[in-house]
Amino acid sequence: MTLILRDKAALRAWRAALPAGARLGFVPTMGALHEGHMSLMAQARAAADVVIASIFVNPLQFGPNEDLSRYPRPLEADLEKLEKAGVEAVFLPAAEEMYPPGASTFVEETMVSAPLCGAVRPGHFRGVATVVLKLLNLVQPHLAVFGQKDAQQCAVIERMVRDFDVPVEIRRGPIVREADGLALSSRNVYLSPQDRAAAPLIHQSLRTVEAAYLAGEHDAEALARIGLGVLARSARIVPQYWEVRDPESLGAIATVGARGALLAVAAHLGSTRLIDNLVLPPRP
Ligand code: PAF
């Protein structure tokens, strides 16, 4: 039975009553759980004795014109999935519980969060870093698992945990995809049938660039152009960025070298914004 913990006091009491020495795994989410989330739960399950998830649609990480109010919240279905996955507890706070009136302290990572999504979603990673630090402080897990689909989010959290000496191990879970390559996302439910049919081009653009890289093209600009060329096959896809970046700092690079690279793409299909990425191996 997945125990529902709705406030910090209940969470702290539950945490304090865990058997001494039990390894606690944590999967923070915003709900609308899909197979990608469930693979993170399974990863936590395999590495920990006790697993807790959180479901909190964090208002702080949504911009004024983003989808906070329409973000899917299928709570009953989510709880069933957690139950089936054997997750012991779920933290389900209300917004006022997480952000008491007058809350005026925020966490801002200033390097890894600057490019890519950070450049087009001002304040997004400040909201993510703030809520994740709060959640880590409250849950005090031994390890926390985040999805590689949000590669920049993973990089920001890893940097924050390192810089603030947070005693937790951060693990990344691999991207889970539909049979046609579309990365699973809670936002895929917004796609019209026509947009859904075009969406796999995003993953195809990443795979095409990977193939070009493996065939000897190492110039970052040339690789990004190839990726954009694949997206251009559908007028329904409006690219926001298609970039080749250093895999750790996410800094700009001219050529892919011994550190490999992160290929990162964001695009709009109608009013839905999708992101995806692929890690290129180091150049031999
Ligand atoms: O990836 C998400 O679902 C969210 O950004 C997170 C990490 C739960 C913080 O709100």
Side-chain angles (χ1 to χ4, degrees):
M1 185 79 190
T2 305
L3 187 69
I4 300 178
L5 305 164
R6 291 188 186 273
D7 56 38
K8 297 180 208 175
L11 172 61
R12 286 200 174 106
W14 176 83
R15 176 72 183 84
L18 288 182
R23 204 166 148 72
L24 180 60
F26 177 39
V27 184
T29 81
M30 298 205 301
L33 303 179
H34 50 64
E35 284 309 309
H37 295 110
M38 300 326 288
S39 77
L40 305 182
M41 306 290 165
Q43 193 172 329
R45 176 82 284 156
D49 304 306
V50 179
V51 177
I52 181 168
S54 63
I55 298 180
F56 178 61
V57 183
N58 174 32
L60 212 58
Q61 69 189 73
F62 288 78
N65 299 316
E66 293 184 354
D67 56 348
L68 173 62
S69 59
R70 72 163 184 157
Y71 197 83
R73 290 167 171 85
L75 186 57
E76 283 310 308
D78 284 353
L79 293 175
E80 262 173 44
K81 287 176 189 165
L82 294 177
E83 178 80 46
K84 232 168 126 187
V87 171
E88 276 84 359
V90 56
F91 182 45
L92 205 66
E96 316 78 65
E97 180 70 7
M98 288 303 279
Y99 300 115
S104 57
T105 309
F106 303 93
V107 179
E108 203 166 323
E109 192 288 326
T110 57
M111 188 189 79
V112 177
S113 53
L116 306 174
C117 292
V120 290
R121 299 184 71 189
H124 170 67
F125 287 117
R126 180 183 191 250
V128 169
T130 302
V131 80
V132 170
L133 185 62
K134 283 171 68 70
L135 289 167
L136 292 175
N137 282 338
L138 288 162
V139 174
Q140 298 187 13
H142 296 90
L143 66 106
V145 190
F146 295 84
Q148 169 67 16
K149 189 178 79 69
D150 297 300
Q152 189 175 16
Q153 170 171 280
C154 290
V156 170
I157 291 166
E158 285 160 357
R159 186 58 65 108
M160 174 190 75
V161 159
R162 189 201 73 173
D163 290 353
F164 282 178
D165 306 300
V166 186
V168 65
E169 181 193 335
I170 301 296
R171 295 194 180 187
R172 297 188 187 204
I175 300 177
V176 179
R177 300 182 179 281
E178 301 280 5
D180 60 9
L182 177 64
L184 295 194
S185 161
S186 305
R187 292 184 164 101
N188 290 352
V189 296
Y190 301 148
L191 294 170
S192 69
Q194 296 83 351
D195 288 339
R196 174 64 188 83
L201 278 175
I202 295 175
H203 181 233
Q204 279 172 39
S205 75
L206 292 164
R207 294 302 302 268
T208 305
V209 168
E210 179 188 44
Y213 169 69
L214 295 174
E217 178 59 83
H218 300 134
D219 182 81
E221 265 183 35
L223 290 168
R225 267 198 308 276
I226 293 170
L228 283 168
V230 175
L231 294 189
R233 290 181 201 155
S234 169
R236 308 191 79 85
I237 301 184
V238 181
Q240 196 172 37
Y241 62 73
W242 210 115
E243 297 202 29
V244 182
R245 292 265 162 176
D246 179 85
E248 204 183 310
S249 72
L250 305 188
I253 53 175
T255 52
V256 184
R259 292 171 55 77
L262 177 78
L263 307 178
V265 52
H268 281 101
L269 290 96
S271 60
T272 305
R273 180 176 180 275
L274 298 181
I275 58 172
D276 202 349
N277 67 80
L278 189 151
V279 177
L280 289 184
R283 191 161 131 194

